[in-house]
Amino acid sequence: MDALDQLKSKYLDGIAQAPDEAALEDLRLAALGKKGEISLKMRELGGMSPEERQTTGAALNLLKTEIDAALRAKKEALADAALDARLKGEWLDITLPGRPRPHGTIHPVSQVMDEVTAIFADMGFAVAEGPQIESDWYNFDALNIAPEHPARQEHDTFFMARAEGDNRPPHVLRTHTSPVQIRAMQERGAPVRVIAPGRVYRMDMDQTHAPMFHQVEGMAIGRDISMANLKWTLEEFCKAFFEVPDVELRFRASHFPFTEPSAEVDIRCSWAGGQLKIGEGDSWLEILGSGMMQPKVLQAGGIDPTQWQGFAFGMGIDRIAMLKYGIPDLRAFFESDLRWLRHYGFAALDLPTVFGGLSK
Amino acid sequence: MKFTLSWLKDHLDTTATLAEIADTLTDLGLEVEEVVDPAAKLAPFTLAKVLHAEKHPDADRLRVCKVLTDEGEKTIVCGAPNAREGITVVLAKPGDYVPGIDVTLGVGKIRGIESMGMMCSERELELSEEHNGIIELPSGEVGEKFTDWLAENRPEAIDPVIDISITPNRPDALGVRGIARDLAARGLGVLKPLEIEAVPGGFPSPVRPVIDPALKARGCPVFAGRLIRGVTNGESPDWLKQRLEAIGLRPISALVDITNFFTYDLNRPLHVFDAAKVKGDLSIRFAREGEEIVALDGKTYALHPTMMVIADDNGVESIAGIMGGEASGCTAETTDVFLESAYWDPITIAAAGRALKITSDARYRFERGVDPAFTLDGLELATQMVLDLCGGEASDVVVDGAIPDTSRAYRLDPARVISLVGMDIPEAEQRRTLTALGFTFTGDMAHVPSWRPDVLGEADLVEEVARIASLTKLKGIPMPRETSGVPGVILSPMQVREKTARRTIAALGYNECVTYSFIDAASAALFGGGAEATRIENPISSEMTHMRPDLLPGLLQAAARNQARGFADLALFEVGPAFAGGEPGEQALQATGLLVGASAPRDPWGSRRSVDVYDAKADAEAVLAAIGAPARVQINRKLDAWWHPGRAGNIALGPNVLATFGEVHPKVLREMGVKGPAVAFTIRLENAPFPKVKTPTRPALVLSDLHAVERDFAFVVDTTVEAMTAVNAAHGADKALIAGVSVFDQFTGPKAEEQMGAGKKSLALSVRLQPKDKTLTDAEIEAVSAKIIDKVSKATGGTLRK
């Protein structure tokens, strides 16, 4: 069997030293090709005795497999080496910028409206809407604000022009989202729970006021809904919205024509280091107005106040956005300064949900 | 509404602290704006006694004093001329803050002698402007707190001033007594009785009021007055001057100060006429056309016949309930005074006050409603004070009209109160509360006191009970959802669509803006708006006069502002209402995107290029797809005037325009100061139909195992031929076999025309053939190809490009 051992070391040495694929192919042909040494030896098996054929045959097959495996391994090694050599030349400056992708943003007002909607939807409130140009009946009278009521003057109302000969009272740009209370009652009846976010308008323009801003109205009507329910609802909302484990709200008696009793609602906070923290500290921050719906308002909405009762509240969207996200100036909300939009805006896919969290 | 603590205590017997009172007021709905407590800044100072004083060895004007303090004997160097042995002084020690000189004292060394504090002057403690020497107290013990001494001997000096804001429904709280009544109802003290004694008249009043019948029913139901003769209208006594000064009013003369005092003390505005300047009787009537008055503020007011006046034979002497006239005003020379106490209708006063733009304490109160039943009582009390302070003799009271009847009663339903408030307030407590506020009961009917014009129903009783019980104590009670289990869909399909559009556009790379709903007339006109119906009667500025007819002008203005800041490449969008008219509901929801400048920043890859109409089209289509608009639409050119007539289009379903995309008209860009290129899209979100049948089930997916075949065709057509014509024609060649047609190239411009002839271009289509049951033969493919060539050529008037 010396001959086979010699054959084996000859080819394995040859494969190991083959410089390239061509040399490897020559070796393959010389060993395993049709006229290769091993192939020729295979043919000789026919002339052997059965016993001899069995042992020699097995040995030859083993040798063939070994050489074949060595060829393949060497081939792959050569290919790897070639690839390595190529890749060494394929260097790019990977610090160059990627191809540009635009980055859009969602305005804080839209984001916060979505947050508010997510929270109240979870508490069973639908979303109601109403027109922004309103009749004075919906904006005032139906809400128990009589024409001569001082509050009607204090509302700093924008009035729409009236054509000559049109003697109806002028329409107004709604001064609050409260007229949606009336429309929602008329459309949905009782019991009902809705919020109504949207644009509102007042003749005011200074450091902290803009002639347009956003409110969210809330309204819940049932058989025995109480001011204590209102407080709970607002507590739950504030916890969820400000993303704190606990809040403390303080109801202060106040006056709105459309609620009775009425309360301004303060939230406990601290301003330590100029940073607002909700739910701790010794300061109180007024965040909204609320109360039990005035019977006349229920009546205006077509609901019998002897059978039903409910609460309503109104809150500034821009204001709670400013508080939550530390945005200093209201007027900047409406200036569309690209730097502001990018800085305070939200990613398109940051859709606030109750289950996934409101903010990142 | 400002008042001092001692003033409050004139009406309220209380031992409550200032802090308790302030917190309670806020809780009651009388929100405290500010409390100024002079005692706070005087808290550290104590009394001391100068035992010995001698000249400083090194300074002629300084004295070295041995002073006995609560901490023993100290040496203090003092420059005051009156620093001398035996006087009781006010001591500030090292570490104390001295407000009048804004200094926190240290241990000083004055010309070599250590000084352990200072003895203060009135000015140094902000008590007065007095600074000729240090304070010498006539009494007091060493170590006594200075504030205690002041409380005992000069209480007005440390009288805290409380400023509260009063909601429009509470005119009764515009008098100190009304505030005291609220606090007493809460249990923070006892309301002191108000003694009213009629002052007997000694003679008939030579001046009489006569109310015009036109005013008697509403404008002025009652007018009372009387003459007081022989008065001396000098300065008011210190207590009165101090009261008025404390709340920011300037003392003028005793007579005027008395009227101001009653305004604030009892919410009873009064007026005083110098009777010597009144000619004839006083006529209470509407002003006559053309009448004018020089009022007490020195200004001349033109009066309107809807305004009530008090006139005599000389003309108008007073704008009723708002401001008196200068001509009949009281001066130091006044000896005979006519004192007026009347009830004026709130609505009439409010209208006149607004029209005249006069803000006065009287108007403020009359337009909210003073207590009509107190008209005569107020007159009696004021008469007494005039007699006390100015002397003189009072005439009989003269009255025209009668006190209006405001009596009314509402049922108190204690169970309903508990149900509404969600607080367990016992019935007895509810009744006690209302009684304390001045309500009286017959059975369960609560009769409203005359000073509470705001109480107009049962709900107001609930409010009063809840307010006094304290809403601060309210505890939240859970309010579960109306249905248990998984909540249903909350948003309407349109609300979902709006949110989808917004987030899709942001995902496409646009920055969301929120711009004002109103714009200037010129911009509105450029976008088909500016009609009279959309005009705002009282705009806040000339930039905000009309409701926006479209969202694009607001975005273009935003683009111009950003360009002015150096940002040339912009992708802005807004989702919101545009207003077609001025009626409620004449608003439509738009989603508008605006691209200005280049598509990308400069980079090594050459990504930067000018934005063009196809960017806008792609984005519009992406949004329409996202909101579920139908995929098969038409494109037309029935464009609004603000679009480029050749480079814009509508995406429509017949006459229903879903969206418009394209270049903004160059003229519009110029007028709005935007440097182009600028392309935009506007989606009319409400116009896309919702699917008729809503099902989550998708149609079955049909997949063929057979290979699709792609064949390319290029056609030479006129340059004005639209690609969609060719694509639709190719589609129509074999609807069963052709699975898709796309434009993969177009060749236009001078080079193209050189090759294909003037006015020609080449359009290259790729057609995808999808066999259904067997592989296509070459002959079949050829047949379809011939049909495609034929159809496209016929539809476009073009030829296959050889």
Side-chain angles (χ1 to χ4, degrees), chain A residues 12 14 48 59 63 112 130 142 144 184 199 222 250 352:
Chain A
L12 290 184
M48 293 183 184
L63 180 59
V112 167
N144 193 35
R199 294 182 174 207
R250 179 176 75 177

Side-chain angles (χ1 to χ4, degrees), chain A residues 120-289:
Chain A
F120 279 107
D122 198 68
M123 290 199 275
F125 286 69
V127 179
E129 290 166 302
Q132 297 180 15
I133 297 176
E134 263 295 8
S135 73
D136 67 337
W137 187 83
Y138 277 104
N139 196 71
F140 292 124
D141 302 58
L143 292 160
N144 193 35
I145 310 174
E148 63 283 353
H149 196 290
R152 198 138 162 178
Q153 315 308 327
E154 285 164 15
H155 264 244
D156 308 320
T157 312
F158 283 113
F159 293 97
M160 299 302 294
R162 265 278 169 257
E164 194 105 9
D166 186 343
N167 293 322
R168 294 177 299 161
H171 293 325
V172 302
L173 292 183
R174 66 178 183 194
T175 56
H176 45 186
T177 41
S178 305
V180 186
Q181 283 182 28
I182 308 293
R183 292 183 178 274
M185 282 189 278
Q186 289 175 334
E187 285 161 18
R188 298 163 195 246
V192 66
R193 293 182 192 183
V194 291
I195 57 164
R199 294 182 174 207
V200 299
Y201 305 87
R202 289 186 202 173
M203 279 187 68
D204 231 343
M205 179 85 118
D206 60 32
Q207 280 294 328
T208 54
H209 294 89
M212 178 184 91
F213 56 103
H214 299 79
Q215 281 189 339
V216 58
E217 195 79 7
M219 174 176 84
I221 300 173
R223 295 287 181 190
D224 54 6
I225 287 179
S226 72
M227 205 156 186
N229 293 143
L230 166 65
K231 189 167 188 196
W232 177 84
T233 302
L234 294 173
E235 283 166 346
E236 290 300 304
F237 168 76
C238 288
K239 268 194 283 185
F241 179 76
F242 290 108
E243 301 176 73
V244 290
D246 235 326
V247 295
E248 191 182 338
L249 296 186
R250 179 176 75 177
F251 273 39
R252 261 187 300 113
S254 188
H255 167 73
F256 307 107
F258 29 91
T259 50
E260 198 141 17
S262 303
E264 303 248 36
V265 181
D266 301 335
I267 191 163
R268 186 183 283 282
C269 67
S270 83
W271 290 100
Q275 176 99 22
L276 174 68
K277 285 217 177 84
I278 297 287
E280 55 183 73
D282 294 322
S283 297
W284 293 97
L285 182 71
E286 186 180 321
I287 54 163
L288 63 96

Side-chain angles (χ1 to χ4, degrees), chain A residues 105 107 110 114 127 132 157 159 161 168 171 199 201 227 229 231 252-253 260 309 336 338-339, chain B residues 26 29 419-420 460 474 477 480 495 499 503 510-512 517 535 537-538 562 565 574 583 587 603:
Chain A
T105 50
H107 195 282
S110 300
D114 282 349
V127 179
Q132 297 180 15
T157 312
F159 293 97
R168 294 177 299 161
H171 293 325
R199 294 182 174 207
Y201 305 87
M227 205 156 186
N229 293 143
K231 189 167 188 196
R252 261 187 300 113
E260 198 141 17
Q309 62 192 44
S336 309
L338 190 60
R339 297 163 296 181
Chain B
T26 293
S419 161
L420 279 163
D460 296 286
L474 191 64
I477 296 176
Q495 288 164 345
K499 289 182 191 303
R503 289 192 183 266
Y510 292 73
N511 300 106
E512 189 186 14
S517 301
R535 186 171 65 80
E537 187 65 50
N538 53 341
N562 278 300
R565 291 185 202 108
E574 179 165 10
E583 291 296 317
Q587 66 180 56
D603 70 3

Side-chain angles (χ1 to χ4, degrees), chain A residues 96-100 102-107 109-111 114 117 121-135 148-151 153-154 157-162 168 171 173 183 191-193 199 201-205 210-212 214 220-221 224-229 231-233 235 250-255 259-264 286 292 294-296 305-306 308-309 311 331 333-339 341-342 347-352, chain B residues 26-31 167-169 347 350 354 367-368 416 418-423 454 456 459-463 466-467 470-482 487 490-492 494-495 498-499 502-518 532-540 544 547-548 554-555 558 561-562 565 567 569-577 579 581-587 599-601 603-605 607:
Chain A
L96 284 172
R99 281 182 215 285
H103 296 286
T105 50
I106 294 288
H107 195 282
V109 165
S110 300
Q111 185 74 12
D114 282 349
T117 304
D122 198 68
M123 290 199 275
F125 286 69
V127 179
E129 290 166 302
Q132 297 180 15
I133 297 176
E134 263 295 8
S135 73
E148 63 283 353
H149 196 290
Q153 315 308 327
E154 285 164 15
T157 312
F158 283 113
F159 293 97
M160 299 302 294
R162 265 278 169 257
R168 294 177 299 161
H171 293 325
L173 292 183
R183 292 183 178 274
V192 66
R193 293 182 192 183
R199 294 182 174 207
Y201 305 87
R202 289 186 202 173
M203 279 187 68
D204 231 343
M205 179 85 118
M212 178 184 91
H214 299 79
I221 300 173
D224 54 6
I225 287 179
S226 72
M227 205 156 186
N229 293 143
K231 189 167 188 196
W232 177 84
T233 302
E235 283 166 346
R250 179 176 75 177
F251 273 39
R252 261 187 300 113
S254 188
H255 167 73
T259 50
E260 198 141 17
S262 303
E264 303 248 36
E286 186 180 321
M292 296 305 290
Q294 235 282 347
K296 288 173 193 161
T306 65
W308 301 94
Q309 62 192 44
F311 65 68
R331 289 173 308 170
F333 275 63
F334 311 119
E335 279 167 10
S336 309
D337 185 324
L338 190 60
R339 297 163 296 181
L341 298 175
R342 284 177 177 157
L349 296 182
D350 283 350
L351 182 67
Chain B
T26 293
D27 181 48
L28 285 166
L30 307 173
E31 188 181 357
T167 51
N169 61 322
I347 296 170
R354 264 202 312 282
E367 72 181 11
R368 281 164 176 74
R416 194 80 204 275
I418 292 166
S419 161
L420 279 163
V421 182
M423 240 170 128
D454 59 305
L456 294 167
D460 296 286
L461 304 182
V462 178
E463 176 162 87
R467 192 170 71 77
S470 175
L471 292 177
T472 302
K473 291 186 192 152
L474 191 64
K475 293 264 182 294
I477 296 176
M479 183 179 78
R481 283 203 307 262
E482 278 165 340
I490 283 292
L491 297 179
S492 72
M494 188 55 69
Q495 288 164 345
E498 178 184 342
K499 289 182 191 303
R502 175 177 291 116
R503 289 192 183 266
T504 302
I505 301 171
L508 290 167
Y510 292 73
N511 300 106
E512 189 186 14
C513 304
V514 175
T515 70
Y516 289 114
S517 301
F518 19 59
E532 178 66 7
T534 62
R535 186 171 65 80
I536 294 161
E537 187 65 50
N538 53 341
I540 202 160
M544 300 180 175
M547 299 310 287
R548 61 184 182 188
L555 289 176
R561 287 196 299 271
N562 278 300
R565 291 185 202 108
F567 292 90
D569 304 333
L570 300 162
L572 305 177
F573 84 103
E574 179 165 10
V575 180
F579 299 84
E583 291 296 317
E586 287 184 333
Q587 66 180 56
S599 61
D603 70 3
W605 329 123
S607 309

Side-chain angles (χ1 to χ4, degrees), chain B residues 188-355:
Chain B
L188 222 65
V190 176
L191 187 67
K192 294 181 181 172
L194 185 66
E195 311 283 356
I196 299 159
E197 270 183 56
V199 178
F203 59 98
S205 173
V207 178
R208 311 189 66 82
V210 182
I211 303 173
D212 187 302
L215 273 67
K216 245 181 188 161
R218 197 176 130 194
C220 180
V222 63
F223 187 108
R226 78 200 315 177
L227 192 91
I228 305 165
R229 66 186 179 201
V231 300
T232 308
N233 189 22
E235 274 192 38
S236 296
D238 286 345
W239 71 265
L240 180 52
K241 285 197 287 187
Q242 282 158 357
R243 282 264 156 100
L244 297 180
E245 279 169 345
I247 62 167
L249 293 181
R250 191 167 54 89
I252 293 169
S253 65
L255 288 173
V256 175
D257 294 350
I258 288 166
T259 64
N260 284 332
F261 175 78
F262 277 89
T263 298
Y264 278 84
D265 189 50
L266 296 168
N267 188 32
R268 178 62 255 181
L270 303 161
H271 184 58
V272 282
F273 297 89
D274 185 333
K277 298 170 190 162
V278 173
K279 194 174 168 196
D281 285 337
L282 290 176
S283 163
I284 295 97
R285 58 169 171 83
F286 284 119
R288 294 178 186 134
E289 202 71 59
E291 276 185 329
E292 286 189 343
I293 184 174
V294 181
L296 280 169
D297 61 3
K299 293 183 193 157
T300 304
Y301 294 95
L303 303 169
H304 185 270
T306 56
M307 300 167 182
M308 299 183 288
V309 298
I310 302 161
D312 64 4
D313 294 353
N314 293 324
V316 177
E317 296 292 0
S318 172
I319 310 169
I322 296 177
M323 192 174 279
E326 199 174 58
S328 57
C330 288
T331 66
E333 285 74 46
T334 299
T335 55
D336 295 348
V337 61
F338 185 83
L339 180 61
E340 165 206 329
S341 180
Y343 179 77
W344 306 102
D345 169 52
I347 296 170
T348 317
I349 294 295
R354 264 202 312 282

Side-chain angles (χ1 to χ4, degrees), chain B residues 357-369:
Chain B
K357 297 193 172 70
I358 300 178
T359 47
S360 68
D361 286 329
R363 172 199 163 185
Y364 187 64
R365 285 169 174 75
F366 280 121
E367 72 181 11
R368 281 164 176 74

